[in-house]
Amino acid sequence: MQETYVDRLNDVGRFASLAETALSTGRTEALHQELARYHELYGIPVAAIDTSGTVLLGPAGAYREAARAEPALPRIVTAALAGARSEPSWEWAPWDDSALVVAEPVGRDSEVVGAVVTISDLSKTRYRILVRWAQLAGLGLLPLIALVAVAWPVSAWVLRPVRELDAASSRISQGDLTIRADAEAGPVELRRLAESFNTMMDAVENAVQRQRAFVSDASHQLRNPLTSLRLAVESLEPHLRAAGDGRQLYDVAVDELKAMQRMLNSLQASARMESIRTASPVDLDAVLATRVDRWRALTATAGQTLAVDVPPGLRLLEPPGGLGSILDELISNALRLSDAQVVEVTARVVPGGAGPGHGSTSAAGQGDASAAEYGDVSAAGHRDVSAAGHRDVSAAGHRDVSAAAGVVTIAVRDDGQGLDASERAQAPRRFWRSPRHQNVPGTGLGLAICADLVGAAGGELRLEEGLPRPDGSGYGFAAVVALPIAPRGASPSGAPAPSPV
């Protein structure tokens, strides 16, 4: 653009010199023809004007037509007639549409008799500038494209082990200790990191397995001597005198032996449940269909009322070992320990997850927590702690279902004694039992196992205030199980699982 301006400046300088001579001698024909040929050749109107602005030489029509479209022309011409060389307007950006006006005075100082003016259309020049800019931009993009083409696979090669390590960590946080990172891909530093990670996980898995094996083996090995001891104590019954302290001591010994047997059963079930970490989808209707009638019979026998309010068609992720066994334990607690008149089972869908309710204490996902005082691992006394875990609860892919899609909350509430806030805070502990229930058969492990299984399915077990007591003195107890909604396309879990609790 500056080159164009310099060329026009040289042209009008030459024409101004010729015009001064022609006007002073009166020989203007040759200059007039040269200005006309210049316009025909370059398409640029050029004219010699007097101090009043009248065209003296050159294509007057083309000049006047071009002059009407240039608002800056009077200012530039006035400066030239005053004897000053015009300065460019600098409005030359490719997106502008103004022409280049250049004026040169004819004469010097106070003897200026006119000016030579050119009006140049810059559309072609601006187009060439745009083309040049595009070429430069293209040349600048080529190295960038080449850099991206090289950096993309390199970064993918570097980051792939990091993503795999992150995925492995996520699976491990869900309880799958068998996951290992790929130690054969990626840079040397990441391979060493993956090897260290795998070594650490080997040590963790071995430690956990040894711990579980110890608990399971110890509880199993103690069964036989404990059974022999119980038989030996019970064999003393015919030799007891009706009167005296012997009968009372005998009853205490038998009760303690039964409690120890329940404790061993609970420990063995807990160890087995901790080895199961996968969940599967299940229809809540199918679970309740096999249990509601039995619950009604149990509550009727205990002189209580069971109310079930569960909408049809709910589908959720079933915890390892079976959802029905967890509900059995919660119903059992309400029947045995609450001294309630009404037991209520409800289910609701909560979009986007569920937070703790009013007066609630979360007891989910804690590996060593969540045994409320409602802790006997049995179903209303009809079921001891069974050897759970005989079924491979697969469909591990469903473990990644996000609670952001919603959860199903299943609440078992009663209007009985309940727990106050401080007791609910202590309840998520193994073997913890309320002082009111020290003489009630139980181990304090039932809800611990339930909470661990619910947490393994990506859910939560919460302890809350229950139904209002009939006398208005407070609230009963409520255990709320929140589990992720299962996608409709998921296959149902197979046969019912043995009872884990």
Side-chain angles (χ1 to χ4, degrees), residues 27 39 48 54 60 75 83 101 198 209 218 340 351 361 363 378 471:
R27 300 176 180 177
H39 173 251
T54 303
R75 174 182 59 83
V101 178
N198 292 340
Q209 288 179 349
T361 297
S378 62
D471 58 4

Side-chain angles (χ1 to χ4, degrees), residues 177 201-214:
L177 301 182
M201 287 310 305
D202 290 338
V204 171
E205 185 180 14
N206 290 336
V208 171
Q209 288 179 349
R210 286 196 299 269
Q211 179 185 12
R212 292 171 180 168
F214 171 77

Side-chain angles (χ1 to χ4, degrees), residues 225-241 246-247 249-259 261-262:
L226 188 60
T227 302
S228 299
L229 180 59
R230 179 176 176 180
L231 291 175
V233 172
E234 290 179 344
S235 67
L236 297 176
E237 183 178 12
H239 305 287
L240 297 176
R241 290 181 296 177
R247 172 63 62 176
L249 295 175
Y250 169 80
D251 292 338
V252 171
V254 171
D255 290 341
E256 291 297 331
L257 288 171
K258 290 180 179 179
Q261 285 182 325
R262 285 193 296 267

